[in-house]
Amino acid sequence: MKKFEIKTSSKLYPVYYESGLFQKLNLLIAKHDLKQNTFIIIDQNVYKYHNEKIDSFISRLNVKVCLYSINPSEINKSHTQLNDIYSALIENGFGRDTLIVAIGGGITGDIAGFAASTFSRGVNIIHVPTTLLAMVDSSIGGKTGINFESTKNIIGTFYQPDFVLIDTDFLKTLPEEEFICGLGEVIKYSLLIGNGFLKEIKKSLSKSLKLDKKLLLDSIDTCIKFKSGIVEKDEKELNGLRKVLNLGHTFAHAIEVERGHTIKHGQSVIIGLTCSLYLSKKLGILNEKLFKEYLSLFLLAKEKIRLPFFYPVKIYEIMKRDKKAANNKLKFVLLKEAGNILIDVEASKHLVLDSINEGLNHFIVD
Ligand SMILES: NC(=O)c1ccc[n+]([C@@H]2O[C@H](COP(=O)([O-])OP(=O)(O)OC[C@H]3O[C@@H](n4cnc5c(N)ncnc54)[C@H](O)[C@@H]3O)[C@@H](O)[C@H]2O)c1
């Protein structure tokens, strides 16, 4: 079993990762002294595919257990869903001595993390990510959150788990389009890190939109170590370091809202990253040769993400509104070359609009 420790100022906790590791969850709970009333928040699709191993985990807990399943959609990453979780916790007699186990993708992890950080002023939580996106990104770093009206992740907390357990066997049932969403984040990390990791990802993806077993575990290892290194130095996004992780996300969040959340988060990240490559090039930050090289990585997913139409001005207005709400100017995380990221770059409206247009155009059906 691979183990990696994350040392933030609020908590030191391990990430365990390996295929088949879910079987050891009971042992790890005991080892971490977390044998207490357990409230499992699970993605309903994950339960559908993996109910045997979940039921076996529950039968070996020997404490009070409640299984709460959610329908993972951005619409349900909401106050209404959260209130329902609080009601279920209270009605079933859960209190301060609660362990929440979140089993699912980023939606499940974000809402369960928020519930854990607020219920009874904070209870224990373990994350068991089941999508590639959640394994390489959202389960690491302690960001929790829900959407409010049409603004993404605007209500949330920083709350680190007791541990994270990554079992790549869950990916066997993940639909291809969800796997590609995770690949978008892996490509983002390869651009943030550069060097050998970018080369390996390029080489592998040029053959197929899959990662072999070894590269999959290596990618998880590389991404979580890189993200942890940043989170350790800027846990609560106070000194700017954590901003690099938002490469492409200013565009992506606005695209998700413009689409009324009918597009997957990971898909909008891939499109958002494409738009940021265009903006980096237009501002003269990224040279033409590297632009083409990096763009080709995102265009591998082109056939799998098809949009009927879009409104660039609306996307721009949403980006501005979100920044205004945060009392901020519209600034971007951009790329000079892989491993060399610039933060807080301002850009004129017409360059941003052109980048949205050109980036999105790759994904539009005729
Ligand atoms: N907290 C953070 O730091 C952070 C970082 C990145 C993204 N996010 C958030 O993560 C969310 C996106 O997460 P996601 O891409 O994991 O999406 P998701 O949670 O919606 O899961 C995607 C789909 O895959 C299904 N699924 C999950 N695991 C499965 C499995 N093993 N087998 C079969 N189906 C499975 C789900 O039911 C769902 O339909 C967004 O809300 C985003 O804002 C948070």
Side-chain angles (χ1 to χ4, degrees):
M1 161 169 67
K2 289 190 171 211
K3 178 184 170 191
F4 174 69
E5 282 201 327
I6 304 184
K7 302 177 196 77
T8 69
S9 44
S10 67
K11 201 167 199 168
L12 185 153
Y13 63 96
V15 182
Y16 300 104
Y17 48 116
E18 195 177 84
S19 70
L21 199 54
F22 189 76
Q23 282 178 29
K24 298 201 179 131
L25 184 52
N26 299 78
L27 281 175
L28 289 168
I29 286 176
K31 182 179 157 199
H32 283 264
D33 223 2
L34 292 169
K35 269 185 151 255
Q36 54 205 34
N37 295 334
T38 303
F39 190 86
I40 302 165
I41 302 182
I42 188 162
D43 176 319
Q44 63 182 27
N45 296 322
V46 176
Y47 188 67
K48 188 173 83 191
Y49 291 117
H50 301 276
N51 54 62
E52 274 182 26
K53 62 184 180 197
I54 309 291
D55 290 346
S56 159
F57 158 65
I58 292 173
S59 70
R60 286 177 285 137
L61 275 173
N62 296 323
V63 289
K64 176 164 79 177
V65 184
C66 181
L67 185 69
Y68 179 96
S69 79
I70 67 169
N71 173 4
S73 78
E74 288 292 336
I75 307 291
N76 289 344
K77 209 170 127 177
S78 65
H79 259 297
T80 315
Q81 184 77 53
L82 193 65
N83 286 350
D84 198 61
I85 293 174
Y86 294 144
S87 297
L89 280 160
I90 294 163
E91 279 163 19
N92 288 289
F94 284 85
R96 284 230 68 185
D97 60 341
T98 297
L99 168 67
I100 291 184
V101 180
I103 308 176
I107 291 186
T108 307
D110 277 9
I111 195 162
F114 188 75
S117 70
T118 46
F119 184 68
S120 275
R121 295 186 183 78
V123 297
N124 297 103
I125 179 162
I126 296 166
H127 284 295
V128 182
T130 61
T131 61
L132 180 60
L133 184 143
M135 290 180 188
V136 296
D137 193 13
S138 66
S139 65
I140 307 296
K143 262 194 186 178
T144 82
I146 55 170
N147 305 325
F148 186 75
E149 294 177 351
S150 59
T151 309
K152 277 266 305 174
N153 299 334
I154 188 75
I155 315 274
T157 54
F158 289 97
Y159 195 69
Q160 305 298 340
D162 291 274
F163 65 85
V164 180
L165 180 145
I166 300 176
D167 177 353
T168 47
D169 279 0
F170 279 108
L171 299 178
K172 289 179 183 161
T173 57
L174 191 70
E176 188 196 21
E177 59 174 353
E178 296 297 345
F179 190 81
I180 290 168
C181 289
L183 276 183
E185 291 286 358
V186 173
I187 298 172
K188 178 192 87 177
Y189 279 103
S190 75
L191 292 178
L192 296 180
I193 297 166
N195 300 331
F197 186 46
L198 175 63
K199 266 194 202 147
E200 279 214 61
I201 293 296
K202 258 172 58 183
K203 197 169 124 202
S204 172
L205 295 187
S206 62
K207 288 183 223 137
S208 89
L209 279 177
K210 291 190 179 123
L211 300 174
D212 65 36
K213 212 172 166 185
K214 182 178 176 306
L215 186 55
L216 181 66
L217 260 189
D218 285 353
S219 300
I220 293 170
D221 182 81
T222 307
C223 294
I224 63 178
K225 283 182 180 158
F226 180 81
K227 184 166 182 182
S228 308
I230 289 188
V231 169
E232 286 177 357
K233 294 189 197 96
D234 186 18
E235 182 183 5
K236 299 198 172 156
E237 229 167 69
L238 294 174
N239 62 25
L241 273 175
R242 206 168 165 157
K243 283 186 186 168
V244 297
L245 301 172
N246 292 337
L247 182 66
H249 282 61
T250 304
F251 291 104
H253 284 167
I255 292 166
E256 269 187 275
V257 174
E258 191 264 349
R259 296 278 106 185
H261 296 299
T262 54
I263 182 171
K264 291 177 188 307
H265 171 76
Q267 293 178 329
S268 59
V269 168
I270 291 174
I271 303 171
L273 286 161
T274 308
C275 297
S276 33
L277 289 185
Y278 273 99
L279 189 56
S280 304
K281 184 187 71 161
K282 285 177 192 298
L283 285 167
I285 296 170
L286 177 67
N287 72 41
E288 184 72 29
K289 181 173 169 284
L290 290 178
F291 166 78
K292 283 191 178 144
E293 181 189 332
Y294 303 153
L295 182 68
S296 65
L297 279 168
F298 294 108
L299 297 189
L300 291 170
K302 194 169 108 173
E303 297 312 318
K304 311 281 176 186
I305 307 172
R306 307 308 282 151
L307 304 176
F309 57 86
F310 64 96
Y311 299 107
V313 176
K314 195 169 161 201
I315 294 171
Y316 181 78
E317 293 304 327
I318 294 166
M319 281 162 53
K320 283 204 54 162
R321 184 200 65 194
D322 289 356
K323 289 297 158 192
K324 203 171 152 204
N327 215 2
N328 250 320
K329 278 192 175 164
L330 197 50
K331 291 177 186 160
F332 296 86
V333 181
L334 297 177
L335 193 71
K336 190 166 167 54
E337 63 181 311
N340 190 348
I341 311 299
L342 307 185
I343 58 167
D344 292 337
V345 184
E346 293 187 33
S348 67
K349 180 175 176 178
H350 86 269
L351 286 188
V352 176
L353 276 173
D354 285 353
S355 304
I356 296 172
N357 248 316
E358 291 172 50
L360 268 145
N361 250 324
H362 291 289
F363 302 92
I364 299 296
V365 278
D366 299 325

